């Protein structure tokens, strides 16, 4: 009785729009109450936030992303990419894909990419003879491209939760990062090829070495940044959290003291904004760790697996259903909530079908990436609609072809595990 | 009166977040340098960095309430009219406040246990003080949600 009432309260809270962390905490409390466990356990679970070294990376990377977004990095990055690949057919579109992907990897898909890069990119595309509908589709659908690229926050979150669950083969966060690279690259390549074919009418711009040199010089302080991140992580010289600290420090020094585009006066504001964003995400994660523990205690993932396994024996059928369900979920839930709530339920089930946790993570995030602009309520559709003053319905039509291309890549990623698991050959 | 109080609170939150973040960044970088140059480290360095994450999380989440920065499902606002929206948001704020007060209440027990165990935290700061941020922020968030009923987020 009390449990039924508790569940009802949790649902009412969710529907009424109470902050997600309170909904998850309430769900965990109801669960522990039902199992007769003292609720002090919720506080102990929250304390694990301070006990997970990997989490240290989140505030540091997020701050780095915010500082770069505050400076003119997006403009310089765009100039550089344009000089590099702008001469190809569909060149400016390819520039858009690459810049959006890199920027999203650093800032997470909180709409920053659409607001910061989209606003630069859209007028450029239209001026260069790209159809308006294509250009709108590009900036909207590329706002979540890059979630599979180091050091994206969703990847780190997935790693924390999956390692917490400790089912299936063990993996390191570095392996998860490696696994995301080929699928992300595949997405950018597929979109680029399609964009080139689609925009054959756009006149080519010749390659200009001088322009490239100019762009490289303008970017010279930011070009080492990916090396700090990747080199630090893969050389084994730094732990992830250390690479994050170096990235944050480097971004801070370069943008505040070298380029002087973020004033010292503005810096506290940037810290505040980025820490608020991180705080709200980590608290959701903390609540989710408590809820996950309840799930495991109550053997809920096993029950789900047994239930599904009666209907579906074939892993391929399971994967197809998984894709459909995740696409729908991606359209209604934001990526952080989806990861912290769904992964604990789903991962043990997927492992039961013989799917590797790293592969599942890649499928999961690739799905949610597409869900971001899946009609009717993918979040990026609304952000783009607001930013570019277009009706959401126009954007549905504009993004459809991009979605089709990404869905094909998604199918490939899902059914060819080697695309994600290639790192095992190293 | 209330708005002035909230402004002070905002200053406090910002100050705490900036101080915690800079301490975290500074110590983390210092650790890397001395580890690689001298092969040593601060005994309490890692502990401080990880505790800073907990404190930043709790204070950041508190600050997020005031500016409507929390992730939530906002279906009702998209489909319902203004009257329904305001009723629903009152319900949401009251429920959220209750959850935060419950969290604060139950985490006090945790702090008491830590106090009784008398474990060391960072240097001279005992562990129970570090943990006390959970009930403290829980209580503050509960109050903040109640205030939200009367003051809309900025």
């Amino acid at each position: 009785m009390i449990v039924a009432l508790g569940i009802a309260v949790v649902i009412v809270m969710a529907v009424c729009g109470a902050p997600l962390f309170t909904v998850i905490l309430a769900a965990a409390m109801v669960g522990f109450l039902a199992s007769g466990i003292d609720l002090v356990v919720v506080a102990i679970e929250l304390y694990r936030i301070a006990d997970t070294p990997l989490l240290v990376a989140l505030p540091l990377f997020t701050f780095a992303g915010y500082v770069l977004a505050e400076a003119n990095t997006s403009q310089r990055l765009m100039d550089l990419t344009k000089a590099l690949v702008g001469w190809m057919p569909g060149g400016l579109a390819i520039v858009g894909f690459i810049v959006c992907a890199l920027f999203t990897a650093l800032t997470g898909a909180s709409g920053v990419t659409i607001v910061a890069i989209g606003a630069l990119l859209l007028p450029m595309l239209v001026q260069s003879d790209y159809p308006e509908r294509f250009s709108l589709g590009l900036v909207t659908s590329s706002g979540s491209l890059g979630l599979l690229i180091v050091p994206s926050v969703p990847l780190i979150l997935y790693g924390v939760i999956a390692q917490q669950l400790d089912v299936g083969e063990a993996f390191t966060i570095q392996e998860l990062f490696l696994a995301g690279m080929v699928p992300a690259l595949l997405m950018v390549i597929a979109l680029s090829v399609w964009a080139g074919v689609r925009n054959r009418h756009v006149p080519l711009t010749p390659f200009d070495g001088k322009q490239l040199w100019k762009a490289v010089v303008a970017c010279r302080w930011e070009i080492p940044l990916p090396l700090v991140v990747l080199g630090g992580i893969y050389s084994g010289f730094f732990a992830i959290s250390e690479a994050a600290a170096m990235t944050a420090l480097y971004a801070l020094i370069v943008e505040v003291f070298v380029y002087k585009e973020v004033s010292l006066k503005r810096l506290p504001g940037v810290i505040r904004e980025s820490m608020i964003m991180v705080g709200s995400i980590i608290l959701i994660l903390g609540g989710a760790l408590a809820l996950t523990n309840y799930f495991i205690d109550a053997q809920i993932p096993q029950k789900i697996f047994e239930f599904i396994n009666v209907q579906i024996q074939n892993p391929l059928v399971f994967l197809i259903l998984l894709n459909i369900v995740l696409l729908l979920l991606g359209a209604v839930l934001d990526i952080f909530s989806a990861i912290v709530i769904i992964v604990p339920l789903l991962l043990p089930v997927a492992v039961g079908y013989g799917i590797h946790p790293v592969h599942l993570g890649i499928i999961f995030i690739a799905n949610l990436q597409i869900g971001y602009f899946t009609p009717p309520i993918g979040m990026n559709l609304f952000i783009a609609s607001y930013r570019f003053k277009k009706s959401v319905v126009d954007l549905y039509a504009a993004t459809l072809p991009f979605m089709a291309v990404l869905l094909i890549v998604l199918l490939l990623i899902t059914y060819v595990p080697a695309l994600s698991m290639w790192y095992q050959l190293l | 009166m209330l708005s002035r109080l909230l402004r002070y609170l905002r200053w406090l939150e910002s100050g705490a977040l900036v101080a915690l973040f800079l301490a975290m960044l500074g110590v983390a970088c210092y650790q890397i340098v001395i580890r690689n140059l001298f092969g040593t480290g601060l005994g309490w360095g890692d502990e401080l960095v990880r505790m800073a994450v907990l404190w930043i999380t709790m204070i950041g989440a508190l600050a997020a309430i005031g500016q409507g920065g929390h992730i939530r499902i906002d279906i009702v606002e998209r489909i319902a009219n203004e009257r329904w929206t305001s009723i629903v948001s009152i319900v949401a704020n009251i429920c959220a406040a209750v959850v935060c007060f419950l969290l604060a209440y139950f985490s006090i027990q945790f702090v008491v246990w830590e106090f009784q165990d008398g474990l060391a935290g960072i240097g001279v700061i005992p562990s129970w003080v570090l943990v006390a941020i959970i009930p403290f922020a829980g209580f503050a968030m509960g109050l903040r949600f109640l205030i939200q009923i009367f003051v809309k987020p900025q």
Side-chain angles (χ1 to χ4, degrees):
Chain A
M1 177 59 198
I2 293 174
V3 173
L5 195 72
I7 294 172
V9 169
V10 170
I11 293 172
V12 167
M13 283 179 73
V15 173
C16 285
L20 207 78
F21 83 90
T22 61
V23 177
I24 294 177
L25 278 178
M29 286 176 183
V30 170
F32 285 123
L33 207 62
S35 327
I37 298 171
D38 191 331
L39 286 190
V40 68
V41 72
V42 176
I44 296 172
E45 295 283 336
L46 270 190
Y47 180 69
R48 269 206 269 166
I49 291 172
D51 227 18
T52 312
L54 193 51
L55 282 184
V56 174
L58 291 188
L60 295 165
F61 276 135
T62 308
F63 167 77
Y66 269 65
V67 168
L68 294 178
E70 187 77 18
N72 291 331
T73 309
S74 46
Q75 182 68 56
R76 279 189 293 272
L77 186 58
M78 190 102 81
D79 292 342
L80 178 65
T81 323
K82 207 171 144 197
L84 271 175
V85 300
W87 52 271
M88 296 181 188
L92 197 54
I94 302 175
V95 171
F97 296 131
I98 296 175
V99 173
C100 286
L102 292 178
F103 213 70
T104 305
L106 260 174
T107 57
S110 45
V112 180
T113 305
I114 292 180
V115 173
I117 309 269
L120 283 174
L121 196 62
L122 186 61
M124 275 166 75
L125 282 166
V126 175
Q127 266 168 29
S128 314
D129 263 353
Y130 288 85
E132 195 190 13
R133 185 194 263 199
F134 171 86
S135 311
L136 270 175
L138 190 155
V139 290
T140 309
S141 56
S142 302
S144 55
L145 200 61
L147 287 179
L148 289 172
I149 301 175
V150 187
S152 102
V153 173
L155 267 182
I156 298 178
L157 275 189
Y158 177 86
V160 170
I161 298 251
Q163 291 181 341
Q164 184 71 37
L165 284 162
D166 197 20
V167 289
E169 270 177 67
F171 65 93
T172 65
I173 203 85
Q174 282 89 337
E175 289 172 339
L176 187 62
F177 283 160
L178 280 176
M181 285 185 182
V182 173
L185 197 65
L186 211 56
M187 286 182 188
V188 172
I189 292 174
L191 286 170
S192 300
V193 169
W194 174 71
V197 175
R198 166 84 174 68
N199 296 294
R200 287 179 304 264
H201 66 279
V202 176
L204 298 183
T205 36
F207 177 79
D208 182 347
K210 252 197 219 135
Q211 205 65 37
L212 177 61
W213 180 241
K214 242 178 86 186
V216 169
V217 170
C219 255
R220 66 187 178 282
W221 292 105
E222 281 151 342
I223 291 173
L225 203 56
L227 300 178
V228 175
V229 179
L230 294 176
I233 291 173
Y234 290 112
S235 64
F237 199 61
F238 295 148
I240 304 274
S241 57
E242 293 179 331
M246 291 321 277
T247 307
L249 183 69
Y250 187 86
L252 177 88
I253 291 174
V254 164
E255 304 304 342
V256 176
F257 299 106
V258 180
Y259 287 113
K260 299 197 170 82
E261 286 168 353
V262 179
S263 65
L264 268 179
K265 228 177 122 199
R266 178 75 192 101
L267 195 61
V270 176
I271 294 178
R272 179 187 158 93
E273 290 317 309
S274 52
M275 290 309 107
I276 283 180
M277 149 100 180
V278 166
S280 57
I281 291 173
I282 300 186
L283 193 51
I284 291 177
L285 177 76
L289 291 177
L291 189 60
T292 301
N293 241 12
Y294 164 69
F295 284 158
I296 295 172
D297 237 38
Q299 301 197 318
I300 289 175
Q302 282 98 311
K303 285 174 193 158
I304 297 178
F305 176 67
E306 280 156 24
F307 174 77
I308 299 179
N309 203 25
V310 175
Q311 345 277 336
I312 307 164
Q313 275 91 37
N314 188 337
L316 279 183
V317 179
F318 171 76
L319 281 174
I320 293 172
L321 278 176
L322 180 72
N323 276 330
I324 297 171
V325 171
L326 286 179
L327 280 178
L328 295 176
L329 266 177
V332 285
L333 277 182
D334 74 279
I335 195 159
F336 303 119
S337 336
I339 290 174
V340 299
I341 301 171
I342 308 299
V343 169
L345 293 173
L346 189 70
L347 181 58
V349 177
V351 167
Y353 282 100
I355 299 165
H356 192 286
V358 166
H359 186 210
L360 181 78
I362 303 302
I363 299 174
F364 197 89
I365 292 170
N367 259 293
L368 294 176
Q369 176 203 326
I370 300 174
Y372 256 99
F373 56 96
T374 303
I377 51 172
M379 189 172 76
N380 279 358
L381 291 165
F382 290 90
I383 295 175
S385 155
Y386 175 77
R387 187 72 184 78
F388 304 123
K389 310 273 179 287
K390 294 285 167 194
S391 84
V392 177
V393 181
D394 285 346
L395 292 174
Y396 291 167
T399 49
L400 272 182
F402 293 86
M403 185 183 292
V405 174
L406 288 176
L407 281 175
I408 294 170
V409 179
L410 175 65
L411 289 178
L412 269 175
I413 298 172
T414 309
Y415 302 112
V416 187
L419 290 175
S420 314
M421 309 307 294
W422 62 277
Y423 69 86
Q424 290 183 327
L425 303 173
L426 294 179
Chain B
M1 169 58 190
L2 186 62
S3 70
R4 188 190 291 173
L5 190 73
L6 288 181
R7 223 174 30 242
Y8 286 138
L9 207 70
R10 202 186 142 91
W11 268 98
L12 263 174
E13 290 160 358
S14 302
L17 286 176
V18 171
L20 283 165
F21 176 76
L22 291 179
M24 173 184 183
L25 180 62
V27 172
C29 291
Y30 180 72
Q31 290 274 73
I32 298 171
V33 172
I34 58 169
R35 197 201 66 198
N36 286 303
L37 287 186
F38 310 109
T40 58
L42 299 170
W44 43 267
D46 290 343
E47 183 77 9
L48 180 136
V49 169
R50 285 188 287 108
M51 276 301 162
V53 177
L54 178 69
W55 280 60
I56 284 174
T57 300
M58 300 310 285
I59 297 173
L62 172 63
I65 300 172
Q67 55 189 68
H70 275 292
I71 294 169
R72 57 203 189 84
I73 300 166
D74 52 358
I75 291 178
V76 174
E77 275 152 60
R78 285 192 193 157
I79 52 176
N81 63 24
E82 213 161 288
R83 202 166 131 240
W84 272 101
T85 306
S86 67
I87 293 173
V88 158
S89 96
I90 291 173
V91 174
N93 276 317
I94 291 175
C95 291
V98 170
V99 171
C100 290
F101 287 138
L102 284 174
L103 173 67
Y105 176 79
F106 286 104
S107 49
I108 287 174
Q109 180 66 56
F110 183 41
V111 177
V112 171
W113 284 343
E114 290 283 312
F115 179 74
Q116 287 164 346
D117 287 350
L119 292 175
I122 304 171
V124 290
I125 307 171
S127 156
W128 68 269
V129 174
L130 300 172
V131 177
I133 187 68
I134 301 179
F136 176 77
F139 184 71
M141 285 194 283
L143 283 182
R144 200 72 183 80
F145 277 121
L146 291 182
I147 294 172
Q148 278 314 99
I149 298 173
F150 308 102
V151 187
K152 290 278 155 267
Q154 294 153 352

